Amino acid sequence: MTDSAQGPLSEFDIIARYFTPSVPAGMVGVGDDCAIIPVRPGYQLAVSTDTLIQERHFYGHTPADLVGHKALAVNLSDLAAMGARPRACLLSLSLPRVDEQWLQDFSAGFHQLCTDSGCVLIGGDTTRSNHGIIITVTVLGEVPVAQALLRNRAQPDDDIWLTGHLGAPYVALQLLGQHWPANPDLLKLALPRLQRPIPPYHWAPELLGHAHAAIDISDGLIQDLQHILGRSEFGAQIECAKLPQHSVLQHLDEAQRYEALLAGGDEFELCFTASPKSRAYILDSAAKAEVAVHRVGKITLAPELQIYGFDGQRLVDEQRFISASGFDHFAQ
Ligand code: ADP
Ligand code: MG
């Protein structure tokens, strides 16, 4: 292996030094043309991929260990939204230059979450980029055949549930983007939820057989819920008074609070639907797993989305939050 004192690390040095974890018996990991993962009888693989681009999905000054954490976390969130258990991941990294400190920290954050989640790094690609850092992670999870939580499975009268507490990533993004006046104290409270999301990947498989439809909240509750409604062809009522608020929201005015709760992205929490018969199971199972869950509304036969404000009345400007499409990278 080339030492940094003898010149910059090669592509193969980088892979060997930072991205070659050991893998469990029966798997083939980094170092061959393909990785191999055994799949247990009766299970299917759920597969998803997400890209993080510097200055688009993360700021260049973000500590690299947190970038490594988030690159995997956003993908684990997609597995959780299917009720799939993490098994393995692939990491494609495009870097403008070799920065060993950055690689050291990035890989430490990435590997820590691999270990915590049981998601083994089994391969990837390492290339040079012309501009900023581009990170693409692909995850593979296992789910019992035909039991995945699909977006089109919501049923009328289902409860709508949320994990976690909403709003902090929105606050952090408003402050970092200088859309709000600088407020270091507020940023300090909100930033950890933006930089270090922990989706409920451990608990999500417990929802199989109980939850009907699920989605993870990446673009905002109302946008993401509408994907379930569109696919299931039903409507919903959401009660803002029941939405679990992150403590940082107590520092906002009412209009900002609605915005953070209903339209705030980057949450990586789960929104799922389940029959009212499953309430006791969900509360009990979530409590055992130390996951916060709240019932925030219900699915309706009428294909309309109604939002009720903190005062229990229909939100006057609810249409502002409701639109046909989610976040669009190519929107002007
Ligand atoms: P190939 O020539 O087939 O593209 P590479 O030389 O790119 O293979 O990669 C060699 C091995 O290292 C492969 O097993 C590949 O999956 C793995 N690999 C490359 N980059 C990474 C990375 N960033 N993280 C994990 N594994 C990687
Ligand atoms: Mg390659």
Side-chain angles (χ1 to χ4, degrees):
M1 184 189 291
T2 314
D3 218 39
S4 55
Q6 300 168 268
L9 295 181
S10 75
E11 175 191 333
F12 301 103
D13 297 333
I14 292 171
I15 296 166
R17 187 172 295 186
Y18 300 109
F19 300 113
T20 308
S22 56
V23 300
M27 276 195 190
V28 175
V30 172
D32 215 313
D33 294 306
C34 284
I36 305 274
I37 44 171
V39 183
R40 291 188 288 165
Y43 285 79
Q44 296 174 316
L45 287 180
V47 184
S48 184
T49 194
D50 258 313
T51 295
L52 298 189
I53 297 175
Q54 186 179 339
E55 307 313 331
R56 180 164 284 272
H57 301 95
F58 66 96
Y59 291 98
H61 54 68
T62 310
D65 59 328
L66 298 175
V67 177
H69 171 95
K70 188 161 178 176
L72 181 57
V74 300
N75 281 278
L76 295 177
S77 181
D78 285 315
L79 289 182
M82 303 296 280
R85 195 173 290 289
R87 288 290 313 275
C89 59
L90 298 144
L91 168 64
S92 292
L93 204 50
S94 295
L95 305 168
R97 62 197 176 85
V98 177
D99 176 341
E100 290 190 45
Q101 186 63 54
W102 190 91
L103 280 164
Q104 176 62 47
D105 295 345
F106 172 86
S107 60
F110 192 92
H111 291 310
Q112 183 63 53
L113 187 55
C114 285
T115 303
D116 292 349
S117 62
C119 195
V120 184
L121 178 63
I122 56 170
D125 205 15
T126 305
T127 54
R128 185 189 287 268
S129 88
N130 291 332
H131 299 292
I133 299 167
I134 304 169
I135 306 154
T136 299
V137 175
T138 302
V139 281
L140 302 105
E142 68 175 16
V143 62
V145 171
Q147 285 203 39
L149 306 175
L150 305 184
R151 293 180 180 183
N152 66 2
R153 297 291 161 84
Q155 295 294 318
D157 292 324
D158 272 4
D159 294 322
I160 299 172
W161 296 82
L162 288 179
T163 63
H165 295 84
L166 303 186
Y170 171 85
V171 172
L173 284 169
Q174 293 304 107
L175 291 167
L176 289 176
Q178 299 177 352
H179 306 298
W180 289 355
N183 187 333
D185 293 336
L186 205 59
L187 184 61
K188 202 171 159 199
L189 293 174
L191 197 55
R193 277 289 283 102
L194 177 71
Q195 292 189 330
R196 206 169 181 288
I198 303 181
Y201 54 83
H202 280 305
W203 182 57
E206 305 286 324
L207 287 169
L208 298 181
H210 294 274
H212 292 156
I215 192 166
D216 64 322
I217 302 176
S218 53
D219 298 337
L221 170 62
I222 295 301
Q223 294 287 354
D224 290 320
L225 174 61
Q226 283 181 102
H227 292 303
I228 289 184
L229 301 182
R231 293 287 192 84
S232 301
E233 301 184 343
F234 295 119
Q237 296 177 340
I238 290 291
E239 295 179 61
C240 293
K242 292 188 177 170
L243 293 177
Q245 302 190 19
H246 188 279
S247 57
V248 74
L249 297 204
Q250 70 198 30
H251 302 286
L252 309 190
D253 67 32
E254 192 176 89
Q256 291 170 328
R257 233 168 23 237
Y258 278 124
E259 199 72 33
L261 289 168
L262 299 173
D266 265 54
E267 294 284 358
F268 304 108
E269 294 291 350
L270 278 190
C271 173
F272 61 93
T273 83
S275 161
K277 290 185 200 128
S278 294
R279 282 179 193 172
Y281 170 83
I282 288 167
L283 290 171
D284 182 59
S285 164
K288 281 186 188 133
E290 297 183 27
V291 171
V293 287
H294 292 88
R295 201 152 46 79
V296 302
K298 66 173 191 173
I299 299 291
T300 59
L301 193 56
E304 187 194 3
L305 176 52
Q306 302 183 330
I307 306 174
Y308 292 84
F310 298 131
D311 60 0
Q313 303 297 309
R314 247 339 240 287
L315 207 61
V316 180
D317 59 348
E318 66 179 5
Q319 281 307 322
R320 219 162 54 74
F321 298 103
I322 301 173
S323 73
S325 63
F327 178 77
D328 176 358
H329 278 275
F330 295 104
Q332 295 304 306

